[in-house]
Amino acid sequence: MQRLSRVVIRFAGDSGDGMQLTGDRFTQETAAFGNDLSTLPNFPAEIRAPAGTLPGVSSFQLHFADHDIITPGDHPDVLVAMNPAALKANMGDLEPGATIIVNTDEFTKRALTKVGYTQSPLEDGSLTKYSVHQVPLTSMTTEALTEIRESGELGKKEAERAKNMFALGLLSWLYHRPTEGTLTFLQQKFAHNPVLAAANIKAFEAGWAYGETTEAFEVSYEVAPAPMPSGTYRNITGNTALAYGLITAAQRAELPLFLGAYPITPASDILHELARQKRFGVRTFQAEDEIAAVGAAIGASYGGSLAVTTSSGPGIALKAEAVGLGIMLELPLVICNIQRAGPSTGMPTKTEQADLLQAMFGRNGEAPLPIIAPQSPADCFYAAIDAARIALTYRTPVMLLSDGYLANGAEPWLLPDMTELPDLRVEFAQTPAEGQEFLPYQRDPDTLARPWAIPGTTGLEHRIGGLEKQDGTGNISYDPMNHDHMVRTRAAKVDGVHVDDLEVDDPTGNARVLALGWGSTYGPIAAAVRALREQGHEIARAHLRHLNPFPANLGDVLARYDKVIIPEMNLGQLATLIRAKYLVDVVSYDKVRGLPFPSTELAAVFRGALLDLGVAA
Amino acid sequence: MTDTVDLGLPSLRDVPKTRVPQKAGDFKTDQEVRWCPGCGDYAILAAVQGFLPSLGVARENIVFVSGIGCSSRFPYYVQTYGMHSIHGRAPAIATGLSVSRPDLSVWVVTGDGDALSIGGNHLIHALRRNVNLKILLFNNQIYGLTKGQYSPTSEPGKVTKSTPLGSLDYPFNPLSLAIGADATFVARSIDSDRKHLTSVLQAAAAHEGTALVEIYQNCNIFNDGAFDAVKDSSVRDANTLALQDGEPLLTADGKRGVIRDEHGGLRLVDEPNLHDVIRHDATLDDSSYAYSLSRLDSQVTPIGVFRAVERPSYDALMAEQLATATSTAGPDELRKLLHGPNTWTVD
């Protein structure tokens, strides 16, 4: 047995091979074992893309370690390739010495030809740089299931389909993962079909036994649990954390939660999750379209619910007019954009953060709203609560920018102390005293929020709408001076939203280069900075959670550094905003490949910046 | 706060009753009404303000939601809660409000362009879901606020600013559309017939689920006289078919009547044998009867309630699901949710 500090495994196969499930189970086992971890699911938009083709390859990458890690890893140490397409699609990410486990049963002439191999890579010597294990996964699985098949209740196809569990069993043995969780999971998943339950469990056990008895794997590996802050943990994806954050916010605000949503990748899982949680008084409304989804949320907000709409870029584009109405009505609304690669339909299952300027400016007229972005899967929980806080306190739509990588990626989450969750209660406007007039647009002097006057309250009958309103009364007004005043007031309200100062990670205080990011680039940026520091370099790092308004100290922070580098998965959108507002000539490093940055790539970029300044050799 | 009492109107079961009797004047606002002089909207506004007190529900529990267009200014002139929203989206906004607040009586005011063109999708989906909304569709067969383009209910060949050579569009019949979308309540009335309009509004208010009321509304600026056939006292009796449950389907002058045709549909005939004339029944579950009635439009204009059938409202179904689910929640439910089934502890 050999001890390792960290391992990156990638399971890859056809989109029907169950790679996401396999990866998810390995993740759960790894979480239960106590490693720190980070995951990257990567799958095609097609539900069942043509079998055996490159576009049909689905993969799940997991990075786990005996120490704190923040990215899913750049290069897999182990690639499990269920067919030639999976091998070909993922070879480029492997470094010499990596382990490849291939399912030889699928390396038929036909399957090889389909992806353009004229010769089998298993035989032509092209894989000599790697440690290749040729395992007939499919036939070993069906063989292990012979007894069950003889009962006549399990067909050949069904038996073959359990090969992902055989692979999981083998990998679980190789890395000493605890298996109880997977066994319980399989029992529950196939509770309705005992034969399938038995088959999958048998395949899993056979995979484990194969690892133990074969001599093909000389060593197995141990990755010790990571020392993590004390407390209770669970594993969580970004979308689940976001859904839980919304429920928690509603509970802490003592308001019913209303979600208006239309199915869209990669946001639908939030709708699914909230639809399961009706016991918290959650109303989910699957609308006829994106506009109805946000419209219904606005209606629910008017009625006193904590209202939310969730979508992705194309859906957010459709909602734009209604969001403008929300800004005019000055009602609380949380809009979640789980960004994906655009423009137009783009690449639905691939990640990107190119909707920042859409969030900032994607509406007619001067229509600002606060923008908040989580930095990791678990952080989606806190970002959702913060978005609700701002929406409720300032009576405004708030945009939360997550993305596909955060949505589907998972990490351990140190569960919060329930008593320390913020109090989000707000007061509805009350019936005015005798002789007092109710003014729907009379503002709180601190927050500039207007009263939240919900129908059903005696004496507050009033009309609101999308037309410009007179300050105070809310009556329709076309008065030029009033319009100028109202536009500036709405802007001032958003500018005045309280956000925490930006924290800068600069251990010595002597760094001259600042790496600045927002959203899901946190992991790769922080990992790159960490790697450079280990090499003795000084570099500062900061991550923006609030994109509008920016933290009050951002200008000062920018001024402290000779060079500011902003890596983004877009063509420099944050850089554009910062240049415009602070007149600082930041360096934009951008890539739009539908995948998170490899941290090694960012480390090289940051190192280049240090070299330019002459502070690195 | 007000008390909740059973008013005998299924749609208003959960809406608090008013403590003091209200009058039409209680539903007038201090806002200057800005429709064109002579507009049919004035008559509809007066009819609504005159009818609302009869509901007996608290004024603060009534909400009018509108979209964009001349008709959509309506909420500004009614002293209840109101929202003048964006073009076509009022049914969607009202859906969110209605399902989350069963204690409100929610009304949608819309026009032919707002409801049937830009907002057509929301209208049909509100109808099929049977959300507890009362939708007043002011149909003037023209775009008024944008100054006179043809609308989705304008007749083919209509010459307007945007169709100088005549419109090529085949129009929607709003009631056929609603019935096709499985609406549970469909009715038609006329702006100038206050008594009829009031009775239709009352039937709509009582209905649980979506009630669609098409109101023929004269735009005296851009489409004056569009409904003269049913308004002009010299011809209206010949052209109007008043629908009353249990009564024979005869034009007001008694000269024409509706009989069953050989294919199972309806046919308008002159001087019918009274024995053959169909008696109206809005409660028929099979919507083909109401649909056939709506298709008589080219020869005669039926007014009144075409269809009024019972089907649980979306609001009631959602409330039931929610009540069942919330009853299972324990005191420590949120912590349990966040923790989930698989946690581990680090000391």
Side-chain angles (χ1 to χ4, degrees), chain A residues 163-458:
Chain A
K163 63 181 181 289
N164 63 333
M165 286 299 115
F166 188 97
L168 179 63
L170 173 59
L171 269 290
S172 299
W173 170 80
L174 197 56
Y175 290 98
H176 293 259
R177 302 291 96 182
T179 58
E180 300 80 17
T182 296
L183 296 175
T184 313
F185 169 84
L186 291 172
Q187 292 281 12
Q188 283 168 358
K189 181 175 168 68
F190 296 109
H192 62 284
N193 190 335
V195 176
L196 281 186
N200 278 282
I201 288 169
K202 183 79 192 167
F204 177 76
E205 289 171 345
W208 178 285
Y210 171 72
E212 208 165 30
T213 53
T214 182
E215 291 182 1
F217 297 91
E218 314 91 51
V219 287
S220 63
Y221 303 94
E222 188 180 72
V223 179
M228 290 164 70
S230 65
T232 303
Y233 287 80
R234 67 168 285 169
N235 189 45
I236 197 153
T237 66
N239 271 351
T240 307
L242 182 50
Y244 288 1
L246 294 171
I247 292 172
T248 303
Q251 294 275 303
R252 298 298 295 161
E254 297 179 5
L255 294 174
L257 182 65
F258 183 96
L259 172 71
Y262 185 78
I264 186 170
T265 302
S268 301
D269 281 340
I270 303 168
L271 167 63
H272 305 162
E273 186 60 45
L274 288 175
R276 294 171 56 211
Q277 310 300 348
K278 291 203 155 56
R279 67 186 184 285
F280 294 98
V282 179
R283 290 183 179 86
T284 53
F285 175 63
Q286 183 178 315
E288 58 270 22
D289 60 31
E290 294 282 0
I291 303 173
V294 63
I298 288 172
S301 173
Y302 181 57
S305 288
L306 172 58
V308 181
T309 188
T310 51
S311 190
S312 190
I316 299 296
L318 284 166
K319 294 178 198 292
E321 187 196 14
V323 174
L325 175 68
I327 288 168
M328 205 66 161
L329 299 179
E330 302 192 39
L331 286 170
L333 178 67
V334 176
I335 305 147
C336 301
N337 179 355
I338 316 304
Q339 299 167 94
R340 66 189 214 187
S344 188
T345 312
M347 300 195 289
T349 58
K350 309 298 175 194
T351 196
E352 203 162 277
Q353 45 181 183
D355 297 345
L356 174 58
L357 295 185
Q358 180 196 41
M360 277 296 287
F361 304 119
R363 291 163 297 282
N364 61 306
E366 294 288 353
L369 49 65
I371 303 168
I372 180 167
Q375 64 179 31
S376 75
D379 188 42
C380 290
F381 176 80
Y382 300 102
I385 292 175
D386 206 16
R389 169 190 67 88
I390 295 171
L392 293 168
T393 309
Y394 297 90
R395 315 282 147 80
T396 177
V398 174
M399 188 83 76
L400 185 153
L401 293 178
S402 176
D403 63 31
Y405 167 50
L406 295 180
N408 293 315
E411 67 175 350
W413 177 29
L414 173 59
L415 287 156
D417 179 346
M418 300 303 287
T419 60
E420 284 174 10
L421 294 168
D423 181 353
L424 298 179
R425 283 176 298 178
V426 290
E427 269 188 50
F428 294 130
Q430 301 297 315
T431 303
E434 195 69 35
Q436 272 198 330
E437 194 188 355
F438 169 64
L439 295 173
Y441 277 77
Q442 187 170 50
R443 292 167 192 284
D444 178 293
D446 293 332
T447 62
L448 297 182
R450 75 174 192 92
W452 195 0
I454 64 168
T457 318
T458 315

Side-chain angles (χ1 to χ4, degrees), chain B residues 205-217:
Chain B
H207 179 76
E208 184 179 3
T210 316
L212 179 81
V213 180
E214 179 191 24
I215 304 171
Y216 280 170
Q217 175 248 323

Side-chain angles (χ1 to χ4, degrees), chain A residues 233 279 455-458 463-464, chain B residues 60 80-81 84 101 333 344:
Chain A
Y233 287 80
R279 67 186 184 285
T457 318
T458 315
R463 275 65 54 192
I464 55 177
Chain B
E60 63 267 25
T80 61
Y81 282 83
H84 176 215
R101 290 290 304 274
E333 206 66 32
W344 69 96

Side-chain angles (χ1 to χ4, degrees), chain B residues 53-341:
Chain B
S54 72
L55 291 180
V57 302
R59 194 174 64 175
E60 63 267 25
N61 287 73
I62 299 173
V63 185
F64 279 85
V65 182
S66 65
I68 293 292
C70 292
S71 61
S72 289
R73 296 296 179 101
F74 197 90
Y76 288 116
Y77 310 135
V78 190
Q79 184 59 19
T80 61
Y81 282 83
M83 187 194 293
H84 176 215
S85 74
I86 46 176
H87 208 6
R89 318 302 169 198
I93 292 168
T95 294
L97 179 62
S98 183
V99 301
S100 61
R101 290 290 304 274
D103 60 326
L104 302 178
S105 171
V106 182
W107 296 70
V108 170
V109 177
T110 182
D112 39 313
D114 193 56
L116 300 170
S117 220
I118 195 165
N121 199 31
H122 308 306
L123 180 75
I124 57 174
H125 288 276
L127 291 169
R128 80 170 162 87
R129 289 190 185 105
N130 204 29
V131 184
N132 201 10
L133 304 176
K134 314 306 151 209
I135 303 176
L136 309 183
L137 196 171
F138 298 9
N139 184 4
N140 56 16
Q141 303 182 345
I142 198 80
Y143 280 83
L145 198 60
T146 50
K147 302 190 174 173
Q149 299 81 9
Y150 73 105
S151 91
T153 55
S154 296
E155 64 277 17
K158 191 173 192 71
V159 174
T160 70
K161 279 182 189 150
S162 58
T163 50
L165 303 180
S167 163
L168 305 176
D169 279 31
Y170 190 80
F172 266 141
N173 175 321
L175 300 190
S176 300
L177 181 77
I179 294 162
D182 267 343
T184 54
F185 184 101
V186 175
R188 174 187 288 145
S189 191
I190 301 168
D191 55 4
S192 51
D193 188 346
R194 176 144 175 186
K195 193 172 155 213
H196 186 266
L197 178 56
T198 300
S199 72
V200 167
L201 290 174
Q202 267 160 344
H207 179 76
E208 184 179 3
T210 316
L212 179 81
V213 180
E214 179 191 24
I215 304 171
Y216 280 170
Q217 175 248 323
N218 192 44
C219 172
N220 58 320
I221 304 295
F222 295 110
N223 202 18
D224 197 21
F227 305 107
D228 277 356
V230 293
K231 289 178 150 208
D232 187 325
S233 58
S234 63
V235 291
R236 72 177 172 214
D237 284 356
N239 294 326
T240 314
L241 187 72
L243 305 174
Q244 281 187 313
D245 263 353
E247 297 298 319
L249 294 173
L250 290 168
T251 51
D253 63 4
K255 290 185 180 159
R256 293 189 292 170
V258 177
I259 63 166
R260 188 66 67 187
D261 81 0
E262 57 271 34
H263 303 298
L266 300 178
R267 190 147 56 97
L268 187 72
V269 294
D270 292 331
E271 308 295 342
N273 181 340
L274 197 56
H275 185 73
D276 297 332
V277 175
I278 291 176
R279 286 179 183 273
H280 182 57
D281 184 357
T283 66
L284 290 175
D285 199 44
D286 179 357
S287 58
S288 61
Y289 164 70
Y291 184 81
S292 299
L293 266 183
S294 74
R295 303 316 291 175
L296 295 173
D297 273 9
S298 57
Q299 303 155 275
V300 69
T301 302
I303 62 166
V305 179
F306 286 57
R307 176 170 169 80
V309 297
E310 282 183 27
R311 192 169 89 219
S313 68
Y314 184 75
D315 314 52
L317 294 171
M318 188 185 276
E320 194 182 314
Q321 230 180 35
L322 213 64
T324 309
T326 49
S327 68
T328 65
D332 197 23
E333 206 66 32
L334 184 60
R335 194 193 62 81
K336 281 193 216 154
L337 172 77
L338 301 187
H339 282 232

